[in-house]
Amino acid sequence: MQTVNIGFIGLGTVGCGAIALLRQNRELIERRAGCRLAVRKIAVRHPDKPRPIAVDPALLTSDVREVLEDPHVHIVVEVMGGIDPARQFVMEAIQRGKSVVTCNKELMAKHGSEILDLAKAKGVDVNFEGSVGGGIPIIQPLKQQLVGNRIRRITGIVNGTTNYILTKMTRERRELADVLREAQALGYAEADPTADVDGYDAMYKLCILAAIAFGSRVRVEDVYREGIGGVHARDIEYAQELGYTIKLLAIAQEDDDRLIELRVHPALLPNAHPLAAVSDVFNAIVVEGDGVGRVMFYGRGAGASPTGSAVVGDIVEIARNLCYNAT
Amino acid sequence: MQTVNIGFIGLGTVGCGAIALLRQNRELIERRAGCRLAVRKIAVRHPDKPRPIAVDPALLTSDVREVLEDPHVHIVVEVMGGIDPARQFVMEAIQRGKSVVTCNKELMAKHGSEILDLAKAKGVDVNFEGSVGGGIPIIQPLKQQLVGNRIRRITGIVNGTTNYILTKMTRERRELADVLREAQALGYAEADPTADVDGYDAMYKLCILAAIAFGSRVRVEDVYREGIGGVHARDIEYAQELGYTIKLLAIAQEDDDRLIELRVHPALLPNAHPLAAVSDVFNAIVVEGDGVGRVMFYGRGAGASPTGSAVVGDIVEIARNLCYNAT
C-alpha cells in the first residue's frame, strides 16, 4: 500500500479530533482509503502546551516551514483558524503542489475563490467539508450528488451556539444575557461571543454554501446580517402563542432573474417546519433544487469529533485521488 | 471541452427524469462538470411507446447491443430494473470498460459485490446513488464524508409508499386496505404492492447501505423482514395515546463483537424522535458513527425528478473522473 503523508498546521479542538479519529479507526480507514495515512508533522505555536490527546513530541514543531517545505507532505491540514497567516500558509502549500484540507470558514468565505483558482491551476485539491455544519456532509453533496440541480434556495441553522441559546431561552423562558453566561461557563460559547451572537459565523458559512450553489458571485459584504442580540424572551413567548419558533436562519436564494439574496437573521418558523425541531447545538441545512425538491441534512454542527470526522473524510478523498492517479 | 457519451438502457420514470434534468440544466451541469454530456443511444423495449418527454427517435433503439457494443459510449445508465437481464447488461458494460450508473436496488442488494469487484478489476466506476432514498445524497456521503467513522447503526424510513400509507392511516384513522386502494389509484403504490407493503424494497435498500457501512458481509437472506400488513388502525391509535408513531423502519447495526443485525419491520417511535416527523412519501436515514454522532438525511425518496437528480449526480461524478484522467 502507498503512504500518503499529512502535515497539520494547528492542533486545537478540531485538529485533536481528527487525529484521535484517525488513530482510533486507523485500520478501518486505511482499508477503505486503499492507502496508508501517516501524520508526518504538526506545526503548533506551543509544542509543550497540554492537549486532550497524547502526541509524539517528535511530530510537533513550532516551525511551520517544516510542514510547508517538506517535499514528502502530500496533504496540508490547516486547522489554525483566522485569516493571517492561515491564508498565506494555505496559498503556499498549494503553490508547492500540496493539497489542502481546511475547516476555516472565515478564510473560505473571504478568500475561497482565490484559493480554489490557485488549486485548479496547480492541479491540487482543496477540501473544506468541516467549514460548514461540522460533521454533516453538506459541501460535497452540494457539489457532487446535487450537481444536476439549479439550486433555488438554501436555508440553514448553521450556528450551534446561537441555536443552543435560543433553545434554552425558549424552553426556560430566560433572557439572552443569562443563557449566554451559562453557555460560556459550559464551553458552548466563546468568551467573546460576537462571532456567534452577531451572526458572523453563520454569515461565513452561508457565503461558502452560496458560492457552491450559485457560483463565485458571492461576497461577504453582500450578506444582510442581523444577530440574535435583539431577541427577547417575550418575543419567543409571543411567537410560541402563534405556533412559531424563533431560529437564527442563514438564507441564500436565487430569483428568476438570477439575482442572489443572502441574509442571516432571526426568523419565525412555523412549528411544523422541519427546521423548527432542530434544537440545542444541532445544525440543519435545507437545500431546494429544481430536480431533487427539498432535501435536509442534519447533525452536530461543531465539536472535536464531528468536525474531525469531516476532516478525515476530506483527507481520505484526497488520498484516494492521489493513489488512484499514481497507479 | 471533452465530450462524455452516455447510453441508457431503459427509459421509464427515472430515465425520463434524468434526461429531462440533463436537458433543462444542460449549460449549468456542463459548466460544473467541465465537460459535455451527450446522450448517444437509448435502448428500450418499445421505441414507439408514448413517454412523458419528447425524445429524438434517432436516439432510440430496441437493440441493447447498440448501447453495449458502441465503443464511443463511456457511461451506461441502467434504469430498466429487475435482475435478468439487467445484471448481464451491467456486467457486460463493465467488462467492456464502461462505467455504470444504476438505481437498481434489487440488483445492487443481491449482486452488488460481484458487480463492484468486476468494476474494480476493470478500473471503472459503478455509481448507484439513486438506489436508496431517491434524490437524497446518502450513498456517497456514507462512502466519502463519513469514511472516518465506525458506523454503529443506520435507521431509515426508506420506502415512500408504506410511509405514505402509514401516514394516511394515522391521520385519517383508516385501515390499510382502504388507504392502499387510494394510493394505487393515485399512482403512489403499484398494482402489485408486495415489494413495498411486505418490506422487500426496504430490505434491498437496507442491504445496500449496510454493505457500505459494514463491508461486504451483508446478504439479503440475513435480513429479518416484516411488512406493514399486520398494522391496524387501532394499533396506531393505541401507539398515539402513548406518545408513539408507527413507522416501517430499516435498521442495520453492528454490536461490540462486530455482529451485524439487519431488520425491516414496523416500529414504535417516540414522537420526539427525528424520524417520527417524516411523513407522506418522504424518506429519511439516520446514520450513527463514532466520530460524527448522529446525522440525518431527509428528502423525497422516489419520483422521476428526485431520482433523476441522483442519476445526473452519478453521471457527472464519473464524467469528471474520465476527463480528469484523460488530461
Side-chain angles (χ1 to χ4, degrees):
Chain A
M1 274 211 296
Q2 287 178 259
T3 298
V4 171
N5 293 313
I6 306 159
F8 276 72
I9 303 180
L11 187 59
T13 307
V14 174
C16 288
I19 287 176
L21 196 62
L22 275 172
R23 266 187 211 165
Q24 178 180 321
N25 294 338
R26 169 167 305 283
E27 198 199 338
L28 182 74
I29 293 170
E30 293 188 337
R31 191 171 66 237
R32 289 172 175 169
C35 59
R36 282 191 207 295
L37 299 171
V39 176
R40 197 176 160 90
K41 213 77 196 172
I42 305 170
V44 293
R45 210 157 300 171
H46 306 292
D48 299 326
K49 197 171 115 174
R51 300 175 200 282
I53 58 167
V55 181
D56 178 358
L59 289 176
L60 294 173
T61 174
S62 58
D63 181 6
V64 72
R65 317 301 324 163
E66 288 191 42
V67 171
L68 291 172
E69 295 178 10
D70 183 342
H72 300 290
V73 166
H74 304 102
I75 303 175
V76 170
V77 179
E78 183 275 302
V79 280
M80 65 182 297
I83 297 289
D84 292 312
R87 178 185 173 194
Q88 291 83 331
F89 294 163
V90 164
M91 293 297 278
E92 181 176 342
I94 297 168
Q95 198 69 52
R96 289 174 179 274
K98 301 181 192 310
S99 288
V100 169
V101 172
T102 177
C103 306
N104 193 325
K105 50 201 172 268
E106 188 180 355
L107 180 65
M108 291 310 294
K110 291 184 176 167
H111 304 285
S113 65
E114 165 194 22
I115 291 167
L116 296 174
D117 284 350
L118 182 64
K120 199 174 175 188
K122 302 295 291 183
V124 301
D125 293 318
V126 174
N127 284 7
F128 46 102
E129 186 60 64
S131 64
V132 182
I136 307 169
I138 174 65
I139 289 179
Q140 290 295 84
L142 200 51
K143 277 191 194 172
Q144 298 187 348
Q145 287 83 61
L146 302 180
V147 68
N149 291 264
R150 183 171 296 283
I151 303 298
R152 303 284 188 204
R153 180 161 45 192
I154 296 175
T155 313
I157 294 174
V158 291
N159 181 268
T161 303
T162 46
N163 203 42
Y164 173 84
I165 292 172
L166 290 173
T167 302
K168 277 269 178 188
M169 288 174 70
T170 304
R171 285 193 191 142
E172 300 170 10
R173 302 185 171 214
R174 288 161 64 193
E175 288 295 346
L176 185 130
D178 180 29
V179 175
L180 178 58
R181 262 192 307 275
E182 188 184 285
Q184 286 168 321
L186 288 167
Y188 289 172
E190 306 281 337
D192 175 1
T194 315
D196 294 318
V197 171
D198 290 352
Y200 288 96
D201 176 84
M203 175 183 74
Y204 297 141
K205 291 166 175 169
L206 182 67
C207 287
I208 293 172
L209 295 177
I212 297 168
F214 305 123
S216 50
R217 297 162 292 160
V218 172
R219 298 183 318 155
V220 170
E221 301 78 53
D222 297 335
V223 182
Y224 170 80
R225 178 188 49 75
E226 184 190 328
I228 61 168
V231 179
H232 295 279
R234 67 171 181 279
D235 301 321
I236 295 177
E237 218 169 304
Y238 292 154
Q240 289 215 289
E241 278 172 24
L242 298 167
Y244 290 86
T245 303
I246 295 183
K247 293 289 183 190
L248 181 66
L249 296 187
I251 300 169
Q253 57 190 19
E254 192 184 53
D255 68 15
D256 290 338
D257 298 323
R258 305 271 183 271
L259 285 173
I260 297 168
E261 188 182 308
L262 301 165
R263 48 200 168 90
V264 171
H265 57 77
L268 290 167
L269 276 180
N271 287 336
H273 191 286
L275 290 176
V278 176
S279 303
D280 300 310
V281 296
F282 282 86
N283 281 195
I285 297 136
V286 173
V287 178
E288 293 176 54
D290 60 352
V292 76
R294 259 191 195 189
V295 286
M296 184 172 82
F297 305 80
Y298 167 95
R300 291 189 175 275
S305 191
T307 313
S309 161
V311 169
V312 173
D314 278 353
I315 290 173
V316 169
E317 196 190 6
I318 294 171
R320 281 174 174 157
N321 288 343
L322 290 171
C323 295
Y324 184 83
N325 292 315
T327 54
Chain B
M1 277 210 295
Q2 287 177 260
T3 298
V4 170
N5 294 312
I6 306 158
F8 276 72
I9 303 179
L11 187 59
T13 306
V14 173
C16 288
I19 288 176
L21 196 62
L22 276 173
R23 266 188 212 165
Q24 179 180 321
N25 294 337
R26 168 167 305 284
E27 197 199 338
L28 181 74
I29 294 170
E30 292 188 338
R31 191 171 65 236
R32 289 172 175 169
C35 58
R36 283 192 205 295
L37 299 171
V39 176
R40 198 175 159 90
K41 213 77 198 173
I42 304 170
V44 293
R45 210 157 300 169
H46 306 292
D48 300 326
K49 198 171 114 173
R51 300 175 200 283
I53 57 167
V55 180
D56 177 359
L59 289 176
L60 295 172
T61 173
S62 59
D63 182 5
V64 73
R65 315 303 323 162
E66 288 190 41
V67 171
L68 291 172
E69 295 177 11
D70 182 341
H72 300 290
V73 166
H74 304 102
I75 303 175
V76 170
V77 179
E78 182 277 301
V79 280
M80 66 182 296
I83 298 288
D84 292 312
R87 178 185 174 194
Q88 291 83 333
F89 294 164
V90 164
M91 294 297 277
E92 182 177 339
I94 297 168
Q95 198 69 54
R96 290 175 179 272
K98 301 180 192 310
S99 287
V100 169
V101 172
T102 177
C103 304
N104 193 325
K105 51 200 171 267
E106 187 180 357
L107 179 65
M108 290 311 293
K110 291 183 176 168
H111 304 286
S113 65
E114 166 195 21
I115 290 168
L116 296 174
D117 285 350
L118 183 63
K120 198 173 177 189
K122 302 296 291 184
V124 300
D125 293 318
V126 174
N127 284 7
F128 46 102
E129 185 60 65
S131 65
V132 181
I136 306 169
I138 174 66
I139 289 179
Q140 291 293 85
L142 200 52
K143 278 191 194 171
Q144 298 187 349
Q145 287 83 59
L146 302 179
V147 69
N149 292 264
R150 184 171 296 284
I151 304 297
R152 304 283 188 205
R153 180 161 45 192
I154 296 175
T155 314
I157 294 174
V158 291
N159 180 268
T161 304
T162 46
N163 203 41
Y164 173 84
I165 292 172
L166 290 174
T167 302
K168 277 268 177 189
M169 288 174 70
T170 304
R171 286 193 190 142
E172 300 170 10
R173 301 183 172 216
R174 288 160 64 191
E175 289 295 346
L176 185 131
D178 180 28
V179 174
L180 178 57
R181 262 192 307 275
E182 188 183 284
Q184 286 168 320
L186 288 167
Y188 290 170
E190 306 281 336
D192 176 1
T194 315
D196 295 317
V197 171
D198 290 352
Y200 288 96
D201 175 84
M203 174 182 74
Y204 297 141
K205 291 168 175 168
L206 182 68
C207 287
I208 292 172
L209 295 177
I212 297 168
F214 305 123
S216 50
R217 297 161 294 160
V218 172
R219 299 182 318 155
V220 169
E221 301 78 53
D222 297 334
V223 182
Y224 170 80
R225 179 188 48 76
E226 185 190 327
I228 62 166
V231 179
H232 295 280
R234 66 171 183 280
D235 301 320
I236 295 178
E237 217 169 304
Y238 293 154
Q240 289 216 287
E241 279 172 23
L242 299 167
Y244 290 86
T245 303
I246 296 183
K247 294 288 182 190
L248 181 67
L249 295 187
I251 300 169
Q253 57 190 20
E254 191 184 54
D255 68 16
D256 291 337
D257 298 323
R258 305 270 183 272
L259 285 174
I260 297 167
E261 189 182 306
L262 302 165
R263 47 200 169 90
V264 171
H265 57 77
L268 290 166
L269 275 179
N271 287 337
H273 192 286
L275 289 176
V278 177
S279 304
D280 299 311
V281 296
F282 282 86
N283 280 196
I285 297 137
V286 174
V287 178
E288 294 175 55
D290 60 352
V292 76
R294 260 192 195 188
V295 286
M296 184 171 83
F297 305 80
Y298 167 95
R300 291 190 174 274
S305 187
T307 313
S309 161
V311 169
V312 172
D314 278 353
I315 290 173
V316 169
E317 196 190 7
I318 295 171
R320 280 174 174 157
N321 288 344
L322 289 172
C323 295
Y324 185 83
N325 292 315
T327 54

